[in-house]
Amino acid sequence: MTDSDDDPSLRERVEAWLAREMPIIQMHGGTSAVRSADPETGEVVIELGGGCKGCSVSDVTTGNIEAELLSWPEVDEVTVRVPDARDSLGGPDQPESIMGVDRTEGGRGDWGSSNPGKDHL
């Protein structure tokens, strides 16, 4: 890194790389955000969201991001977070969905349950 103010920061370079080299994220309705990029420690944290939540290939995307950024000389550690799709609904401990429907009654079952329950018609 040089001391010039004209040089883009690590964060800006990672953001530009994501926009240029990973357009598939936005094409599939996903989002990406650089949460931190510390040039002193070489640590970069990226969060994927939107369509990336629950996507079956998000692990491939995260692996590709990690592999590329770890090849940069100034990057020593990369963390890519993809929120669990259940997080947006409050997880298994929340009885109501975002639409106010109780997931544990009326045959809807709970998280991962194949048993509709005794009240199912």
Side-chain angles (χ1 to χ4, degrees), residues 1-2 4-16 34 37-39 72 74:
M1 300 276 306
T2 64
S4 171
D5 290 335
D6 294 334
D7 288 340
S9 69
L10 178 58
R11 173 186 225 114
E12 292 169 329
R13 289 184 290 132
V14 171
E15 288 172 347
V34 179
D38 188 338
W72 294 16
E74 65 271 43

Side-chain angles (χ1 to χ4, degrees), residues 34-56:
V34 179
R35 295 298 179 205
S36 68
D38 188 338
E40 304 260 335
T41 64
E43 191 175 354
V44 175
V45 178
I46 297 171
E47 187 170 303
L48 303 180
C52 295
K53 286 184 185 181
C55 176
S56 61

Side-chain angles (χ1 to χ4, degrees), residues 26-81:
Q26 288 186 336
M27 290 170 53
H28 288 180
T31 59
S32 63
V34 179
R35 295 298 179 205
S36 68
D38 188 338
E40 304 260 335
T41 64
E43 191 175 354
V44 175
V45 178
I46 297 171
E47 187 170 303
L48 303 180
C52 295
K53 286 184 185 181
C55 176
S56 61
V57 295
S58 64
D59 58 335
V60 173
T61 303
T62 60
N64 290 340
I65 292 170
E66 290 169 356
E68 173 60 30
L69 294 181
L70 286 172
S71 73
W72 294 16
E74 65 271 43
V75 176
D76 294 320
E77 184 179 342
V78 178
T79 302
V80 182
R81 296 186 289 219

Side-chain angles (χ1 to χ4, degrees), residues 81-104:
R81 296 186 289 219
V82 183
D84 187 317
R86 298 187 322 173
D87 289 345
S88 64
L89 295 176
D93 296 328
Q94 180 183 353
E96 293 185 7
S97 74
I98 57 175
M99 296 174 61
V101 177
D102 187 343
R103 293 188 300 259
T104 61

